[in-house]
Amino acid sequence: AHARLCTVHVHVDGQLHLDIDDDGVGPGEARDGGVGLGSMRDRAERLGGSFAMVDLNPGTGVRARLPLAVTT
């Protein structure tokens, strides 16, 4: 919430690493009753990956790790 700057980093090394950071008020102060973060966590886990929030003080980070499908 109230972010002015957001950075997105993507890295691939057998899985997709997606890191999103902002300079907003932080996860503890941005509660609005929404379901967005829970929905992102559920989707990542259904795909066999992981999802985490990080308090950057100030700001919030989101870390998603998703497996990549291997085709033969």
Side-chain angles (χ1 to χ4, degrees):
H2 306 289
R4 292 175 293 144
L5 177 65
C6 178
T7 59
V8 178
H9 295 226
V10 178
H11 175 75
V12 176
D13 68 355
Q15 66 178 347
L16 175 69
H17 298 250
L18 177 62
D19 298 340
I20 304 170
D21 297 338
D22 72 32
D23 65 349
V25 296
E29 300 177 43
R31 300 183 198 283
D32 64 359
V35 297
L37 293 171
S39 176
M40 286 187 261
R41 180 184 316 280
D42 290 345
R43 291 178 195 180
E45 290 174 355
R46 271 187 266 150
L47 292 170
S50 64
F51 177 91
M53 284 183 48
V54 180
D55 188 349
L56 300 176
N57 194 28
T60 304
V62 172
R63 307 290 182 256
R65 303 294 180 259
L66 301 169
L68 297 176
V70 177
T71 59
T72 57

